[in-house]
């Protein structure tokens, strides 16, 4: 015991150092080496998610939503101030162009027409009287000249020529008076009466187009500017608003898949793009756009909400990968990964540098000479920070 104690006393510092190293070794094994080895082993034994590379179509789309409206709608209106006397339709009725929608009360208008007729008749009678008088004066002047011409012996020679000139002037004046009377008769205006009669014709209000009465605001006994709205239910559109940073990607004729709020699927195409933006409720500018429904059915109703995916661009026969499958290497290149297994059973992730192209919400076009049909790639690119640990799996 004395020798052991003497040894411990002489080598106390050395033993203390060894003890510290032993503790550090335990800490490293427990907190550092152990987890790293466990993670590597787990990664080696974990089956990573993959997909099989194939050439196919990829569409880049723009998802929007809105409501179903008619592509052909018309308001039934009138500028006449008369109250509605009779309504011949109800909301929901189907009508043809020219069908009578309503008849306005013409009681006041009929009174105005009678008064205008009386006024016109009086003016026409007065004009006819003036014409008749002028015609008689002309006839009298001609007769007087004829008498004077046939009886020159009753007049001195010097006076006869003067009388003839006076008779001729009298005839000319009478002719002018008759011409003026006839012109005045022709100018007796019936414009007011004609206007009133046109108004009465307009009091029978007809449908400007075929369709369904979707709104009826007119009421019997009350005047109205807008009486009804007629919409063609066979010509349906999806009305949407597209944000200004997306509108330049939208073109007339682009196809769209449309899903109604009831879950039915339809095909549409961009049929109209507003030339001017409108301010939204949040102050953000949007452009109204309409998508014509190409295969509408009774399952699609006016006012329904619907979603659409507008096909902005389509590429055929290209390699497509999930967006999550594309990572970035240390040089900033886009890469995808394939998993290779060595003869000893160890695995390694091999990056393939690719160029990316068209994107959808979940997929992206990829291209590289190293890609081939049927290649198995990781569907989720690994975290670059974890690639250091994966490197140890290669040997």
């Amino acid at each position: 015991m004395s020798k052991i104690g003497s040894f411990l006393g002489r080598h106390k510092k050395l033993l203390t150092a060894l003890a510290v190293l032993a503790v550090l070794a335990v800490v490293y094994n427990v907190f550092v080496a152990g987890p790293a080895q466990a993670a590597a082993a787990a990664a080696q034994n974990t089956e990573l998610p993959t997909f099989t590379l194939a050439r196919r179509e990829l569409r880049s789309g723009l998802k929007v939503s809105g409501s179903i409206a008619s592509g052909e709608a018309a308001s039934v209106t009138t500028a006449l101030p008369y109250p509605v006397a009779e309504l011949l339709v109800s909301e929901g009725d189907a009508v043809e162009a020219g069908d009578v929608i309503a008849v306005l009360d013409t009681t006041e208008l009929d009174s105005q027409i009678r008064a205008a007729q009386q006024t016109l008749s009086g003016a026409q009678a007065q004009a006819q009287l003036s014409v008749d008088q002028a015609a008689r004066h002309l006839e009298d002047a001609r007769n007087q000249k004829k008498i004077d011409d046939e009886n020159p012996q009753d007049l001195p020679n010097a006076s006869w020529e003067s009388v003839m000139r006076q008779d001729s002037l009298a005839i000319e004046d009478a002719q002018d008076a008759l011409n003026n009377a006839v012109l005045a008769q022709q100018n007796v205006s019936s414009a007011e009466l004609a206007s009133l009669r046109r108004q009465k014709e307009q009091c029978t209000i007809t449908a400007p187009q075929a369709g369904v009465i979707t709104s009826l605001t007119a009421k019997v006994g009350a005047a109205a500017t807008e009486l009804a709205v007629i919409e063609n239910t066979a010509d349906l559109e999806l009305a949407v608003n597209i944000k200004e940073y997306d509108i330049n990607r939208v073109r007339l004729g682009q196809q769209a898949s449309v899903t109604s709020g009831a879950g039915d699927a339809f095909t549409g195409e961009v049929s109209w793009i507003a030339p001017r933006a409108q301010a939204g409720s949040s102050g953000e500018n949007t452009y109204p756009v309409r998508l014509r429904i190409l295969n509408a059915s009774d399952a699609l109703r006016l006012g329904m909400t619907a979603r659409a995916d507008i096909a902005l661009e389509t590429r055929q026969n290209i390699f497509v990968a999930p967006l999550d499958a594309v990572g970035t290497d240390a040089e900033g290149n886009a890469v995808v990964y394939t998993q290779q297994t060595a003869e000893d059973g160890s695995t390694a992730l091999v990056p393939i540098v690719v160029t990316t192209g068209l994107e959808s919400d979940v997929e992206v076009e990829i291209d590289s000479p190293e890609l081939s049909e049927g290649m198995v790639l990781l569907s989720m690119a690994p975290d670059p920070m974890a690639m250091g640990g994966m490197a140890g799996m290669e040997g």
Side-chain angles (χ1 to χ4, degrees), residues 70 72-73 92-97 99 101 207-214 229-234 302:
S70 174
E72 187 181 8
D93 285 353
V95 297
E96 297 294 331
D99 286 353
I101 301 298
Q209 68 172 49
V212 174
I213 304 291
T214 57
V229 174
I230 301 174
E231 297 184 70
N232 183 357
T233 56
L302 291 171

Side-chain angles (χ1 to χ4, degrees), residues 18 80 117 151 155 167 191 203 268 294 298 301 303 311 313 338 342-343 354 373:
L18 291 174
L80 300 176
Q117 286 176 327
N151 300 285
L155 300 171
D167 288 346
C203 286
L294 302 179
D298 292 340
R301 296 174 176 270
E313 185 179 354
T338 182
E343 294 181 358
V354 296
E373 190 94 14

Side-chain angles (χ1 to χ4, degrees), residues 13-29:
K13 291 183 178 181
L14 176 61
L15 293 174
T16 300
L18 291 174
V20 171
L21 289 174
V23 171
L24 291 175
V26 171
V27 170
Y28 176 79
N29 287 330

Side-chain angles (χ1 to χ4, degrees), residues 305-381:
T305 58
R307 305 183 308 276
D309 187 358
I310 303 173
L312 302 177
E313 185 179 354
T314 302
R315 299 286 300 278
Q316 305 284 346
N317 196 33
I318 59 173
F319 286 131
V320 178
L323 285 172
D324 289 340
V326 181
T328 306
D329 64 11
E331 287 74 33
N333 300 311
V335 292
V336 294
Y337 293 89
T338 182
Q339 188 173 6
Q340 294 182 353
T341 303
E343 294 181 358
D344 61 359
S346 63
T347 60
L349 299 183
V350 178
I352 300 174
V353 176
V354 296
T355 57
T356 59
L358 184 65
E359 286 189 18
S360 70
D361 290 342
V362 295
E363 295 178 311
V364 60
E365 175 189 2
I366 58 173
D367 187 43
S368 170
E370 299 181 54
L371 298 178
S372 61
E373 190 94 14
M375 178 180 286
V376 177
L377 300 175
L378 266 65
S379 57
M380 182 173 292

Side-chain angles (χ1 to χ4, degrees), residues 60-65 238-256 268-275 286-292 308-313:
S60 171
L62 177 63
K63 288 181 170 57
V64 293
S65 61
L238 175 60
V240 301
N241 291 314
I242 295 180
K243 296 177 180 179
E244 59 184 348
Y245 52 77
D246 285 326
I247 193 62
N248 287 335
R249 299 193 292 160
V250 180
R251 298 286 185 274
L252 292 176
Q254 287 175 331
Q255 299 295 295
E269 69 174 13
V270 178
S271 59
W272 180 80
I273 302 171
T286 60
Y287 286 82
V289 171
R290 298 174 191 159
L291 310 178
R292 186 176 301 280
D309 187 358
I310 303 173
L312 302 177
E313 185 179 354

